[in-house]
Amino acid sequence: MNFTVLKAIFKRDLISYFSNPTGYVFICVFVVLSAAAAFWPPEFFSSNLANLDQLTRWMPFILLVFIPAITMSIWAEERRQGTDELLLTIPASDRDVVIGKYLASVAIFTVSLLFSMFAIYLVFSWGLGSPDVGLFIGTYVGYWFVGIAMLAIGMVASFLTSNLTVGFILGMLFNAPLALFGVADLVVKDPAIAQAIKRWSAIEQFRDFEQGVISLAGVTYFVSIAVVMLYLSMILIGRRHWSGSAEGGSRWGHYLVRTLSLLIVAGGINYFLSSHSAVRLDVTSEDLNSLAPQTVRLVKDLADDDDPNRIKVEAFVSPTVPAEYAAQKRNLISTMTELASLSDGKIQAIVNEIENFSEDATRAERQYGIEPQRVTTNSRGTRTPDEIFMGVAISYGLDKVVVPFLDKGIPVEYELIRSIETVSGDKRKRVGVVKTDAPLFGGFSMQGPTQESMLIAELKKQYDVVEVDPTKPITEKFDVLLAVQPSSLAPEAMDNFVSAVKTGQPVAIFEDPFPLPQLWGGELVGTAQEKRPGGGAMGMFGGGGPPQPKGDIQQLWRLLGVEMYGDTIIWQDYNPQKQVGSDIVTPEWIFIDEGLAAQGAIDPFSPESPITSGLSQILYLFSGYLRTADGMKEAPLWLTTTGKETGTVSYQDIEMAAQSQSMQRLRRMPTGERYNIAAKIERTVEDDSTSLLEAAAPKEGAAADAKAAPGKSEVRAVVVADIDCLADPFFQIRSIGADQDALVNWNFQNVTYVLNILDDLAGDDRFIEVRKRTRPHRLLTKIEEATADHRTKSNDRQQKFDSDAQKEIDAARTEFTQKLDEIRNRKDLSRVELEQRLAREQIRLERIRDVKIRQLEAERDRQVRQDERDLTAQIRGVQDRYKFAAVILPPILPILLAAFVYFRRRQAEQEGVSKTRLRYGSAEGAPDEAATAGTPKTPRKKVKV
């Protein structure tokens, strides 16, 4: 290869493009189209993500126009001007000529892409938000690889003609499949065929770059296209040597076979790498695509499995999702891609973007029970209902796990790897749930039938969950027992439960001195409180008998070596959510938070246990506390601890305050102590419960995991002095996730905490670290800041509307009551007349009151709707201003450069030329009189027609 010639050709084509203002015009058009595609679609602001998703969707079609504009003149212009013969006679091979011209076109495209990249990043940083730099660069690297493939295809088109227009059209036609295969599902009705076609489109092969991952498979795909097309260009430029000879026909067949062979080899390499390439570089600043180390190990173990069956992970998502679910959709797709790439073909990932009433939607519902879920979203300032798909089904052989809907707060990586491990595992671990008064499996309460708790539904995704009847001896071995409010057990059931714990059965115990009635249907009573009388209906209507007997919970505490006061509730003066009033968040809401270090909490979360290490916030409601039992030589491992601005309150005081609906009058006794709410206990105990205290401390030199000596047993338990922390609302809060329009976004990790406890006791540490992991996406923060004032004023106005209307409604009701009281207080009417008058006036006044209330409510609703319309218009105005600026500002720099090049070139052309020879004379556009003075004028000849 002659690098001197290659460099000369490269430099000649590059300079000729950028020395002409026309080149800058094309660049300007490219930048405008890029900016419009990035910021103009309504999905950009509705998704609220600082990324290039909208531009990615349109980039193949933008390049479909821009790339032929670069390549149409690569060879067609040489032929048109006759300079092709000069090029072919220089001491260079055909390969040097092709590569030199190709590198020049790549350089032109690279400069154009840099203009677009700089302009769009400037718009982001200036007025929209701070994008993830790694994701931004990774996406543009992907655009560059798409471009180099399309440039090579466009070169082939240019070598086929000497006409620039024909070269442009052929360049578009040859590149069309690369762009249009991505929308094959709009034309091809068969989903399997459509998916096979889409697989080879630029959009599908670009998925990794779109997520911020530079993968070997993606790079190889676009580079292989470029290599094949360059080889075809060399054939076309070299045909002059043999096309007219006698063996020209056979040469065409020979090169056709070679080209097809090269295509087959490239296709085979790409097919292999698409499912076996583990060379992937996550370049995002927030590690949005990197899997947790534990996930990587689990997937590697699956890849090493000899079972030839593949695990099928099939997602059903809506093509367009609201802003609140855009990040969740990206997390789902990127995680599925990473899992499939690491599995060495063991995991097959399929993403179906389906409309609500399509054939794929019907298949998702019939085959997996996945249906569109109704969600409330914020669209340009207005809350609107919507129905979207966001479900996934994992199948392996005959076993399958279906997650019908991945709400925006659900950790995607955890859900997927847990489901994959569940379907691929030989046998699930077993969780025994002790039957207590806590209605975990549903049942009947005073409010009616209750459903299965969300905790049980969550456990069933990973474990075999069995309800255990403690009225009979618990002889069956479980990986872990779960007992919620065991103090409600009858004496015999309590004895059986304690015996099971004593035998070494791992157990998670949640005990609460004050279970909140609204969370448990009003059926549960505190640790030290008597149970309600038995007898069903008899007790309900007041007949009742004596309270049902309760077992002695103290024998459980003695076995575990801890103490818990059943009629004492702790409080803590700490509220990390200052925007929530004290009428909602009372001091009995115990936040265990990293901020407690300022209150003297040394380790709010124990760093020594995988259960709590890495957690940031959990919430206990009206909880008790634990302490080491007297006589114990070693304390348990305290998992969660309060600060020092604390105190206690009695059960009776809370009950009286709740009945009077005045928690502010509650007598709280400050103590300034740090209280332990949860503990992990691992002890060796004697079989004889009378000598438990003497055997409290383990023998010196004994290993922590050693088996108990004969006549002894290992007790493993986690005790939590609160049961409200695992109630359904915490699962609902986790599912909802963050909401930018909410007054407060709760950050509770209660679900993670509870599941970690059960996993740790069951000896299943596969998902503990994965469950804690989050992926922060960059948002359009500056847009939020620009519209925050509008939102605040709108909320204030709506609250004022509600307050004023409510005052008038209350006044109407008060007036109604006063008028009736005036009639009741009249002494001049008999009892019968008073009742008749009262009945008539009550009917009349009720009608007047109800009409007035309806008018007030209608006026309030009208004002609220008008305010919502005004808010929507204001937000739309802000977005439109940014949108207009985002499209107008980026092309300014190319336009200025084009003007500079034009006038600089014009000036260079005029240097050293006599003004008399200029077409327009002087710079003012008229001939210079001084220059023409004394020059005789040539008379005009008259010509007869």
Side-chain angles (χ1 to χ4, degrees):
M1 183 179 294
N2 192 332
F3 288 99
T4 302
V5 174
L6 190 150
K7 180 181 178 181
I9 296 173
F10 168 81
K11 186 176 181 180
R12 171 179 174 270
D13 284 13
L14 185 64
I15 292 177
S16 65
Y17 187 90
F18 286 106
S19 62
N20 191 332
T22 307
Y24 291 95
V25 171
F26 281 115
I27 292 176
C28 183
V29 171
F30 175 70
V31 172
V32 169
L33 292 177
S34 300
F39 304 119
W40 203 264
E43 294 86 1
F44 174 74
F45 289 103
S46 65
S47 66
N48 195 37
L49 293 177
N51 58 31
L52 299 170
D53 284 358
Q54 282 66 44
L55 176 57
T56 298
R57 184 181 306 173
W58 291 101
M59 181 56 79
F61 302 99
I62 295 174
L63 295 181
L64 194 59
V65 176
F66 181 64
I67 293 295
I70 297 176
T71 60
M72 66 180 180
S73 60
I74 284 180
W75 196 251
E77 183 69 8
E78 302 283 0
R79 282 185 174 177
R80 189 179 67 84
Q81 294 181 354
T83 55
D84 58 331
E85 296 180 359
L86 178 63
L87 274 176
L88 296 177
T89 56
I90 62 176
S93 64
D94 296 341
R95 180 178 57 185
D96 295 335
V97 174
V98 169
I99 294 179
K101 285 187 164 293
Y102 175 70
L103 291 180
S105 66
V106 170
I108 294 169
F109 173 68
T110 303
V111 172
S112 306
L113 209 57
L114 288 175
F115 270 110
S116 171
M117 180 179 177
F118 174 75
I120 291 178
Y121 185 80
L122 193 64
V123 170
F124 262 118
S125 301
W126 168 71
L128 298 175
S130 177
D132 187 311
V133 176
L135 176 61
F136 194 86
I137 294 175
T139 304
Y140 264 90
V141 168
Y143 296 157
W144 187 80
F145 277 107
V146 176
I148 65 171
M150 298 182 79
L151 284 170
I153 296 174
M155 279 188 67
V156 174
S158 183
F159 275 111
L160 293 176
T161 180
S162 60
N163 187 289
L164 293 179
T165 304
V166 175
F168 180 84
I169 294 173
L170 289 179
M172 289 188 63
L173 291 176
F174 290 176
N175 277 297
L178 203 60
L180 298 180
F181 279 0
V183 292
D185 51 344
L186 299 179
V187 180
V188 181
K189 299 302 181 182
D190 191 328
I193 298 177
Q195 188 67 29
I197 295 175
K198 287 180 65 175
R199 178 177 182 177
W200 298 102
S201 68
I203 285 292
E204 288 299 315
Q205 297 294 330
F206 184 80
R207 294 292 185 189
D208 289 339
F209 299 101
E210 181 185 14
Q211 301 295 337
V213 175
I214 299 178
S215 65
L216 178 61
V219 171
T220 303
Y221 174 79
F222 294 111
V223 171
S224 61
I225 291 177
V227 170
V228 173
M229 292 298 108
L230 288 178
Y231 178 74
L232 187 57
S233 296
M234 294 177 192
I235 294 175
L236 293 175
I237 197 176
R239 61 183 173 175
R240 69 187 188 280
H241 299 302
W242 44 263
S243 59
S245 62
E247 56 180 10
S250 61
R251 283 293 187 94
W252 276 115
H254 170 75
Y255 283 112
L256 177 63
V257 171
R258 292 178 66 173
T259 304
L260 291 176
S261 301
L262 188 59
L263 277 173
I264 293 172
V265 171
I269 293 174
N270 281 279
Y271 183 82
F272 176 81
L273 291 178
S274 63
S275 57
H276 294 83
S277 174
V279 181
R280 303 170 63 83
L281 177 63
D282 183 4
V283 296
T284 59
S285 303
E286 302 290 350
D287 293 332
L288 298 178
N289 307 285
S290 300
L291 300 176
Q294 184 62 29
T295 302
V296 174
R297 287 194 293 271
L298 293 174
V299 175
K300 292 293 186 182
D301 292 341
L302 286 174
D304 295 337
D305 193 353
D306 294 333
D307 192 340
N309 294 325
R310 302 175 73 186
I311 300 171
K312 182 180 179 182
V313 182
E314 190 169 11
F316 297 88
V317 296
S318 296
T320 303
V321 297
E324 295 87 343
Y325 292 88
Q328 188 73 334
K329 179 181 176 181
R330 285 182 62 89
N331 288 341
L332 175 59
I333 295 175
S334 65
T335 305
M336 289 177 58
T337 304
E338 294 299 317
L339 291 172
S341 65
L342 282 174
S343 67
D344 198 23
K346 186 71 173 182
I347 297 175
Q348 178 187 11
I350 302 174
V351 178
N352 301 292
E353 292 193 341
I354 59 177
E355 301 290 348
N356 287 0
F357 302 102
S358 62
E359 294 182 3
D360 281 337
T362 303
R363 181 173 70 88
E365 180 179 354
R366 291 179 178 177
Q367 189 171 350
Y368 300 113
I370 296 175
E371 300 177 354
Q373 299 293 314
R374 190 177 185 85
V375 297
T376 302
T377 63
N378 185 358
S379 177
R380 306 197 79 171
T382 304
R383 305 294 292 182
T384 56
D386 197 1
E387 288 189 349
I388 61 172
F389 279 95
M390 193 72 74
V392 61
I394 300 92
S395 56
Y396 183 68
L398 299 178
D399 198 2
K400 67 180 178 181
V401 172
V402 177
V403 183
F405 189 74
L406 280 167
D407 217 331
K408 56 182 180 291
I410 301 296
V412 173
E413 181 182 344
Y414 162 65
E415 285 288 337
L416 290 181
I417 191 60
R418 181 182 63 173
S419 300
I420 289 172
E421 286 289 302
T422 300
V423 299
S424 62
D426 296 332
K427 187 178 181 181
R428 299 188 184 187
K429 289 182 178 290
R430 302 178 71 227
V431 174
V433 181
V434 179
K435 187 177 181 181
T436 63
D437 286 357
L440 297 180
F441 284 91
F444 292 89
S445 66
M446 298 177 65
Q447 288 77 25
T450 59
Q451 296 181 345
E452 179 182 83
S453 73
M454 299 182 76
L455 171 62
I456 298 300
E458 186 74 14
L459 291 176
K460 286 182 176 179
K461 296 177 181 178
Q462 179 179 346
Y463 296 98
D464 281 333
V465 182
V466 180
E467 188 173 26
V468 178
D469 184 4
T471 60
K472 302 174 182 178
I474 304 175
T475 58
E476 191 174 1
K477 191 68 175 178
F478 296 94
D479 292 286
V480 61
L481 270 181
L482 171 63
V484 179
Q485 205 68 358
S487 62
S488 63
L489 294 174
E492 183 180 1
M494 178 65 75
D495 294 340
N496 293 333
F497 174 63
V498 172
S499 297
V501 176
K502 189 187 302 183
T503 60
Q505 172 68 66
V507 60
I509 300 170
F510 292 81
E511 181 62 39
D512 198 331
F514 191 87
L516 291 181
Q518 57 267 37
L519 298 180
W520 303 101
E523 297 294 326
L524 279 176
V525 296
T527 304
Q529 310 309 310
E530 293 184 343
K531 296 180 69 173
R532 292 183 176 83
M538 190 175 177
M540 184 181 299
F541 294 105
Q548 299 180 54
K550 294 174 64 175
D552 182 14
I553 191 70
Q554 295 302 320
Q555 61 176 316
L556 178 61
W557 302 147
R558 288 193 296 269
L559 174 64
L560 299 177
V562 295
E563 291 181 359
M564 174 180 171
Y565 297 103
D567 58 353
T568 302
I569 294 93
I570 63 172
W571 58 267
Q572 178 177 245
D573 187 13
Y574 177 70
N575 177 15
Q577 301 287 1
K578 301 297 183 183
Q579 62 270 47
V580 185
S582 59
D583 55 332
I584 298 176
V585 177
T586 68
E588 286 70 35
W589 286 39
I590 309 298
F591 289 90
I592 304 298
D593 187 277
E594 296 171 339
L596 283 174
Q599 290 194 8
I602 300 174
D603 285 318
F605 295 101
S606 172
E608 300 177 23
S609 173
I611 296 174
T612 50
S613 64
L615 295 183
S616 57
Q617 186 182 94
I618 61 175
L619 174 66
Y620 299 110
L621 299 171
F622 295 80
S623 73
Y625 70 97
L626 302 168
R627 60 183 296 270
T628 307
D630 293 337
M632 293 296 297
K633 298 179 180 179
E634 186 176 348
L637 176 62
W638 303 117
L639 297 177
T640 56
T641 306
T642 67
K644 297 186 72 172
E645 295 185 14
T646 58
T648 61
V649 64
S650 69
Y651 178 95
Q652 291 75 16
D653 288 343
I654 290 183
E655 194 172 43
M656 292 175 61
Q659 291 175 357
S660 62
Q661 298 182 352
S662 179
M663 294 296 291
Q664 302 297 330
R665 299 179 181 177
L666 193 62
R667 295 179 298 175
R668 298 182 175 95
M669 299 173 55
T671 60
E673 297 183 15
R674 291 193 292 263
Y675 291 99
N676 304 304
I677 304 179
K680 182 177 180 180
I681 301 165
E682 293 181 343
R683 301 181 53 215
T684 302
V685 299
E686 299 284 353
D687 287 341
D688 185 4
S689 60
T690 60
S691 59
L692 289 178
L693 292 179
E694 291 77 6
K699 301 295 183 180
E700 293 186 3
D705 57 349
K707 295 183 179 179
K712 298 182 180 181
S713 61
E714 292 286 343
V715 172
R716 294 182 63 241
V718 170
V719 183
V720 181
D722 180 58
I723 69 169
D724 300 324
C725 65
L726 49 76
D728 286 356
F730 289 103
F731 287 83
Q732 296 166 352
I733 289 171
R734 183 189 72 150
S735 297
I736 293 172
D739 186 351
Q740 63 175 339
D741 295 321
L743 175 64
V744 57
N745 280 311
W746 302 112
N747 299 314
F748 308 137
Q749 294 175 292
N750 287 41
V751 175
T752 299
Y753 170 60
V754 172
L755 296 178
N756 284 354
I757 289 174
L758 294 171
D759 281 2
D760 184 71
L761 289 171
D764 188 356
D765 62 351
R766 294 174 296 171
F767 315 121
I768 291 179
E769 295 303 322
V770 181
R771 194 181 286 127
K772 303 173 186 176
R773 194 165 183 264
T774 59
R775 295 181 179 182
H777 289 264
R778 302 287 180 91
L779 305 178
L780 301 177
T781 53
K782 294 185 179 180
I783 288 290
E784 294 180 7
E785 293 171 2
T787 58
D789 185 53
H790 298 308
R791 297 179 190 274
T792 302
K793 291 180 179 178
S794 175
N795 290 333
D796 292 342
R797 285 194 299 268
Q798 291 187 17
Q799 290 179 5
K800 187 176 184 302
F801 295 156
D802 289 339
S803 177
D804 293 344
Q806 190 61 45
K807 287 179 181 178
E808 295 187 26
I809 290 172
D810 293 341
R813 289 171 176 165
T814 302
E815 182 182 3
F816 167 76
T817 303
Q818 290 175 349
K819 289 184 178 181
L820 290 181
D821 290 340
E822 290 176 0
I823 297 174
R824 291 190 184 97
N825 295 331
R826 291 186 61 175
K827 305 298 183 182
D828 58 332
L829 298 175
S830 65
R831 181 178 178 182
V832 175
E833 291 176 333
L834 181 63
E835 291 179 353
Q836 292 176 349
R837 176 72 63 86
L838 190 63
R840 289 195 301 270
E841 287 299 310
Q842 184 171 358
I843 293 173
R844 185 179 69 83
L845 294 173
E846 281 180 349
R847 290 176 179 172
I848 295 174
R849 180 200 63 187
D850 292 344
V851 169
K852 188 173 183 179
I853 289 175
R854 283 196 295 270
Q855 290 176 346
L856 291 170
E857 291 177 342
E859 178 62 19
R860 178 195 62 190
D861 295 340
R862 186 193 67 77
Q863 292 181 352
V864 170
R865 287 194 299 271
Q866 180 62 41
D867 192 69
E868 289 179 348
R869 286 193 290 268
D870 294 341
L871 174 62
T872 301
Q874 289 171 343
I875 293 176
R876 186 180 294 115
V878 172
Q879 294 178 354
D880 289 343
R881 286 198 299 273
Y882 278 105
K883 185 187 298 184
F884 181 77
V887 174
I888 294 298
L889 295 179
I892 291 179
L893 182 59
I895 290 175
L896 293 177
L897 287 175
F900 174 79
V901 170
Y902 173 76
F903 289 108
R904 181 71 182 85
R905 183 176 179 180
R906 181 185 176 95
Q907 182 182 5
E909 290 174 349
Q910 295 178 358
E911 289 180 357
V913 179
S914 174
K915 291 184 178 180
T916 59
R917 299 180 60 186
L918 296 177
R919 182 177 180 183
Y920 299 106
S922 63
E924 286 77 10
D928 190 344
E929 295 180 0
T932 58
T935 304
K937 296 181 179 180
T938 304
R940 296 180 180 179
K941 295 181 180 181
K942 295 181 180 180
V943 180
K944 293 183 180 181
V945 179

